[in-house]
Amino acid sequence: MSHEFVKQFSYSLEELIECGHGRLFGPGNARLPLPPMLMFDRITRISGEGGAYGKGEVVAELDVKPDLWFFACHFENDPVMPGCLGLDAMWQLVGFFLGWNGLPGKGRALSTGQVKLKGEVVPTVKNLTWQIDIKRMMSRRMGLGIADGTMRADDEVVYEANDLRVGVFA
């Protein structure tokens, strides 16, 4: 039985978890991590057009709850979301974009350019929103996506990263 992926322009948490199990893009193709490492609750918009460079964009959100796993351990009596998790969400979204575009293989974060942490995510924040702007997508020996990303905490930009690179490898 062959797997047929049907492109959507938004995804629920349940659908993102299906991606984590390898059931969205098909066996051997891009997957998201499963909770708790899945860093967003939904993709509200994904498109092969638009974004800052006109080459595609992904917008995702996380509902912040004071009992999220990382607040209990980072740091005791001073809870703050680790910056690396916000950055990882950006890589996750670039990899999802590659799978959504039909590039075969397993996704892996490769590198990033500059990262700026301009603020904190604390338990009183209600919502995180990521905006990923695709700069370039290639599919030669391997698939490669290059993008810029921002993360907003309740509409204030707290993280920025440029030249996020994710590859997909058969």
Side-chain angles (χ1 to χ4, degrees):
M1 186 162 136
S2 68
H3 177 270
E4 188 170 328
F5 169 67
V6 178
K7 268 189 182 182
Q8 298 174 196
F9 299 98
S10 64
Y11 291 85
S12 68
L13 179 59
E14 293 75 20
E15 291 165 325
L16 298 175
I17 291 171
E18 285 296 297
C19 182
H21 289 298
R23 296 190 282 259
L24 189 62
F25 303 131
N29 290 324
R31 300 171 111 165
L32 288 168
L34 292 168
M37 279 306 297
L38 176 62
M39 293 310 304
F40 37 89
D41 293 327
R42 63 197 153 273
I43 292 176
T44 59
R45 182 171 63 249
I46 183 169
S47 174
E49 301 171 347
Y53 306 100
K55 297 183 178 185
E57 68 179 338
V58 187
V59 179
E61 296 181 346
L62 174 71
D63 298 322
V64 179
K65 298 172 187 76
D67 65 349
L68 284 170
W69 66 274
F70 45 79
F71 287 137
C73 57
H74 190 267
F75 297 97
E76 187 175 32
N77 300 317
D78 182 21
V80 62
M81 178 181 176
C84 59
L85 295 180
L87 179 61
D88 197 67
M90 294 181 195
W91 280 317
Q92 290 176 23
L93 291 164
V94 176
F96 187 90
F97 184 84
L98 296 175
W100 183 82
N101 269 285
L103 274 69
K106 296 177 180 183
R108 295 292 186 263
L110 299 176
S111 66
T112 190
Q114 191 172 40
V115 176
K116 293 181 184 176
L117 304 179
K118 300 174 160 194
E120 294 183 325
V121 178
V122 294
T124 55
V125 168
K126 300 296 181 214
N127 178 269
L128 298 180
T129 304
W130 286 268
Q131 169 75 39
I132 303 297
D133 296 305
I134 304 301
K135 294 170 95 167
R136 193 164 177 205
M137 191 175 75
M138 297 175 284
S139 58
R140 294 193 181 96
R141 287 180 304 143
M142 65 172 209
L144 177 69
I146 304 171
D148 291 347
T150 59
M151 185 181 92
R152 287 180 157 74
D154 294 337
D155 297 321
E156 177 189 340
V157 174
V158 290
Y159 300 174
E160 292 178 330
N162 66 15
D163 296 329
L164 298 151
R165 292 175 185 266
V166 174
V168 285
F169 304 88

